[in-house]
Amino acid sequence: MIDGAAGSVTVNNASLTGTAGITILGDSTNNATGTYTFNNVAIQTDAGAANNAFVVDGDQGTPGNDDVSAVVNLNNVDITNPGGNVANIRGMAGGSVNFDSASSITRNDGGLGIAVLSNAGGTINFGGAVKTLSTGVNAAVIMTSNPGATINFTNGGLVITTTSGDGFNATGGGTVTVQGTGNTITSGTGTALNVVNTNIGASGLNFQSISANGGINGIVLNNTGSGGLTVTGVGTTAGSGGTIQNTTGRGASFISASNITLKNMNFTNAGTDDLDADNSGLSTGDNLTTNAAIHLQNVSTATLDRIAISGGAEQGINGNTVSNFTLSNSSISNAGNGADEDGIHFYNMSGTSAVTNTTITGSGDDNFQLQTQSGTLALTISGGSSTGAVLGSGYLFGIRGTSNATINFSGANSSNNFSGGIVADAFDNSTMNLNVINSTSSSNNDQLSVSAGDNSDVSLVATGNTLSSTAAGDFVVVSLLGSAFDNGFTFDARIENNTITVANGLTADGISVFNAGGGAMRVGIKNNSIDYAGTQRAILVQAGQDGAGSILAQITGNAIDIKLDGTGDAAAGILVQSAVTDPEGNGASVDLSIGGAGALANIFTHSLGGTMAAGDIRVRQRNNGTINLSGYAGGAMDTAAVIAYLNGRNTVVSASTATAQTSGFTGLATPPFP
């Protein structure tokens, strides 16, 4: 025992048994301020919870006294299954405790672990390359109320195993790190890792694996500063980063945390309790109480790779105000079992984010739902699939408020979902840029549905995709909507080089462009291959339902096969009409370039034979709307001239038709949309 010494003390080559190991005390009369060095010491105290192996106590029963500022060097100090704590350190105001790399801690009998409590300062380094803590019902590492202290576990080899005790617990201040390789936590019903109101140092918390089974939470980080957590697993081996399973609360919860990296981890039935009564209100950020396998709230930079999530009562991954989110090579299955319970459930994602080569299937509502109100987002979704959403869509986006979102799809698949395949809606004063490239959407309610409302600014590019409505109950393949009653939106879209299919007898359009409000839409529908056997139209363009909106449209180079089997045949190949209601839609306009010379012509075939009375192309000037035709030189009410114009610019099987109700048709000198 060293009690209040100010000088230097060295102990060499000792074996300590009995009721005490190394003990350093300080009090207000005798502060411990010296330098104490222990070389080649073995410690194994007798049975008894008070028989600690290593003790620093500057409180002497009065927390806050903090009367130790010594430098304690422990070189080749080996602690093996002591009766009490492996280490119990409290009441440091400064100085340091330093276990060197040759030291070791072996606790494999279920006894007490490491306790670091109520230290106002100082640095504590557990540097031994072997730190085995199998503590059963007891906490392996507990660090509480160390506001000015720094506690480091270095040189790897921290192996924690508990049954119901917590694994690694740091709360109430200070800075902690776990460094090196081979660090693992395996807890039963205890929380494996819990860091709350404590900074993670720049070197981070580094683990090879973290596992927990049957407790409330597996991992909890809350208010941990800029340092991060990394769970690596082994290479790309599935599950080698640990398994969090059967937790009633969140499997892993990260709140006000940064730089989270999880790899090769399984979350199985993590979050089994229904914590949120209805899970609604995501568009306003009301997802802070919901349960999830992984919960991210006010998190900067989260990287999840080779994560497997299955089951859970509410969300798979729940996020609120998260920047720079990456999910790759992962799977989420059967998350949630009711409305607004999703595979991925996010509010206000921002920064540069990505979901890559990830499969999401069987979620209670939407497989992927993102709602934003503010911030700038660049999100890439590439590879992977979203299938079998029970009540909702494969991918659902609501871009709101002042958000500026760019969403890039590439090589993704969305199929067999209850509602839409890819659904993106813009509201308020938001900006949304959506690019859907070389992807597949099939057997959903709508395959690609995009809308602009309020004063939003929307840009869509859809090219190289395979989009198919084939199942009973499927609706429009591509739906572009300007919202009714809204007047301030702008919506530019290019639908080019896609393969579009509508199966026999479906009441569904192939492509629907509908400006139902008073905003402005520009759309290019070019070089698509459309196989149409439905009962409606291969392409529908219309304006003027609840507002006098405008559409500038170019429809060129499309190959359209209208399949007529005599039962439930198509009404028309292409239908363009303005001012579909009176008086609400009066003043709506369509500027149209349809077909043209050579490759610009739309080419119709009827592979099953038959003709349509309404024609392969039908244009209708209705009520007090206007239709302006690029290059048309005939009279406003001369429908024969309009028909000749349409037939001359396109290859049709059934002759075009035209009707004029009031103002008729006028010409345009240049195409309305390049």
Side-chain angles (χ1 to χ4, degrees):
M1 176 188 294
I2 298 174
D3 188 354
S8 296
V9 176
T10 299
V11 176
N12 295 316
N13 305 317
S15 179
L16 304 179
T17 57
T19 60
I22 297 171
T23 301
I24 297 166
L25 303 177
D27 58 34
S28 58
T29 303
N30 296 298
N31 289 350
T33 59
T35 298
Y36 316 135
T37 301
F38 299 85
N39 300 312
N40 305 316
V41 177
I43 306 172
Q44 186 171 17
T45 58
D46 293 345
N51 297 335
N52 301 316
F54 177 77
V55 173
V56 172
D57 189 353
D59 286 341
Q60 299 281 314
T62 305
N65 280 356
D66 301 319
D67 290 324
V68 172
S69 297
V71 174
V72 183
N73 297 314
L74 301 119
N75 303 317
N76 194 26
V77 171
D78 299 320
I79 299 173
T80 304
N81 292 329
N85 285 110
V86 168
N88 191 311
I89 301 171
R90 65 183 69 213
M92 290 185 65
S96 62
V97 171
N98 306 295
F99 286 84
D100 76 345
S101 61
S103 296
S104 67
I105 294 171
T106 303
R107 162 68 81 193
N108 55 23
D109 62 353
L112 299 174
I114 293 171
V116 180
L117 312 171
S118 186
N119 293 283
T123 300
I124 301 164
N125 298 310
F126 293 96
V130 175
K131 298 179 283 290
T132 301
L133 297 167
S134 181
T135 58
V137 300
N138 302 300
V141 177
I142 182 168
M143 297 173 285
T144 303
S145 301
N146 300 294
T150 297
I151 304 107
N152 301 309
F153 293 79
T154 61
N155 294 312
L158 176 63
V159 178
I160 293 172
T161 306
T162 70
T163 55
S164 58
D166 290 340
F168 187 99
N169 190 321
T171 62
T175 300
V176 297
T177 70
V178 176
Q179 303 173 38
T181 60
N183 303 308
T184 65
I185 305 175
T186 304
S187 291
T189 56
T191 300
L193 175 64
N194 185 67
V195 183
V196 177
N197 296 323
T198 300
N199 288 327
I200 298 172
S203 298
L205 301 178
N206 297 276
F207 291 92
Q208 178 178 302
S209 67
I210 299 177
S211 297
N213 186 356
I216 298 174
N217 306 110
I219 299 172
V220 175
L221 267 60
N222 191 335
N223 191 25
T224 55
S226 60
L229 166 67
T230 299
V231 180
T232 62
V234 178
T236 59
T237 301
S240 60
T243 298
I244 307 294
Q245 58 189 321
N246 303 318
T247 58
T248 57
R250 295 161 177 164
S253 177
F254 304 100
I255 299 174
S256 298
S258 302
N259 300 309
I260 307 301
T261 299
L262 306 180
K263 295 183 177 182
N264 300 304
M265 292 192 72
N266 297 332
F267 291 81
T268 305
N269 293 322
T272 58
D273 284 358
D274 276 303
L275 300 182
D276 194 333
D278 61 12
N279 286 290
S280 62
L282 181 62
S283 64
T284 59
D286 184 12
N287 67 327
L288 298 180
T289 60
T290 191
N291 212 342
I294 300 175
H295 176 82
L296 303 165
Q297 178 183 337
N298 294 321
V299 169
S300 172
T301 308
T303 302
L304 312 179
D305 182 38
R306 302 185 186 279
I307 302 299
I309 297 172
S310 60
E314 293 182 322
Q315 319 300 337
I317 301 175
N318 184 59
N320 186 302
T321 314
V322 179
S323 64
N324 303 321
F325 170 79
T326 300
L327 175 67
S328 58
N329 307 307
S330 297
S331 65
I332 302 172
S333 62
N334 303 315
N337 52 28
D340 295 302
E341 295 175 353
D342 306 325
I344 296 178
H345 188 81
F346 258 80
Y347 173 77
N348 270 7
M349 183 187 293
S350 64
T352 301
S353 298
V355 177
T356 305
N357 297 328
T358 292
T359 62
I360 313 171
T361 186
S363 303
D365 198 333
D366 302 299
N367 279 329
F368 184 114
Q369 183 183 180
L370 168 64
Q371 302 287 328
T372 66
Q373 285 283 351
S374 62
T376 299
L377 169 66
L379 171 64
T380 298
I381 298 175
S382 60
S385 63
S386 179
T387 61
V390 176
L391 296 175
S393 299
Y395 298 96
L396 173 62
F397 305 94
I399 308 303
R400 305 170 185 271
T402 59
S403 303
N404 187 326
T406 297
I407 303 166
N408 297 309
F409 275 85
S410 176
N413 171 50
S414 183
S415 60
N416 298 301
N417 299 293
F418 176 82
S419 190
I422 300 170
V423 181
D425 303 310
F427 306 88
D428 305 320
N429 296 297
S430 65
T431 298
M432 179 174 72
N433 301 298
L434 176 63
N435 302 297
V436 183
I437 312 297
N438 298 329
S439 294
T440 301
S441 184
S442 64
S443 299
N444 306 291
N445 195 301
D446 296 333
Q447 311 316 318
L448 173 61
S449 177
V450 184
S451 74
D454 300 313
N455 298 304
S456 61
D457 183 0
V458 173
S459 173
L460 166 67
V461 174
T463 184
N465 303 292
T466 300
L467 309 171
S468 307
S469 288
T470 58
D474 286 1
F475 293 145
V476 180
V477 177
V478 178
S479 175
L480 311 182
L481 176 66
S483 294
F485 304 106
D486 294 339
N487 299 313
F489 60 80
T490 59
F491 188 169
D492 289 356
R494 295 180 181 272
I495 312 299
E496 302 177 355
N497 299 299
N498 302 288
T499 299
I500 295 172
T501 302
V502 176
N504 187 44
L506 292 185
T507 305
D509 293 307
I511 299 173
S512 173
V513 180
F514 187 12
N515 192 342
M521 298 182 71
R522 302 194 305 168
V523 59
I525 302 172
K526 305 178 183 180
N527 304 317
N528 300 286
S529 176
I530 304 177
D531 187 324
Y532 189 82
T535 66
Q536 301 301 301
R537 288 101 6 184
I539 299 173
L540 170 66
V541 176
Q542 62 181 5
Q545 174 182 282
D546 295 294
S550 66
I551 297 177
L552 310 181
Q554 184 173 10
I555 307 173
T556 58
N558 300 288
I560 304 172
D561 184 9
I562 304 295
K563 293 183 173 178
L564 306 171
D565 64 359
T567 302
D569 286 342
I574 298 174
L575 172 62
V576 179
Q577 56 186 353
S578 64
V580 297
T581 63
D582 178 28
E584 295 88 349
N586 286 336
S589 65
V590 177
D591 290 358
L592 177 65
S593 175
I594 183 166
L600 296 177
N602 298 293
I603 299 175
F604 289 85
T605 55
H606 294 190
S607 62
L608 301 182
T611 59
M612 293 180 294
D616 283 335
I617 302 174
R618 178 167 175 75
V619 293
R620 302 177 68 194
Q621 182 273 310
R622 302 178 61 184
N623 300 311
N624 285 318
T626 60
I627 295 182
N628 306 306
L629 301 173
S630 177
Y632 174 66
M637 305 301 291
D638 188 349
T639 56
V642 173
I643 291 169
Y645 163 87
L646 297 172
N647 291 339
R649 294 166 63 94
N650 301 278
T651 300
V652 298
V653 177
S654 295
S656 302
T657 63
T659 59
Q661 186 171 346
T662 56
S663 59
F665 301 90
T666 59
L668 289 172
T670 58
F673 188 53

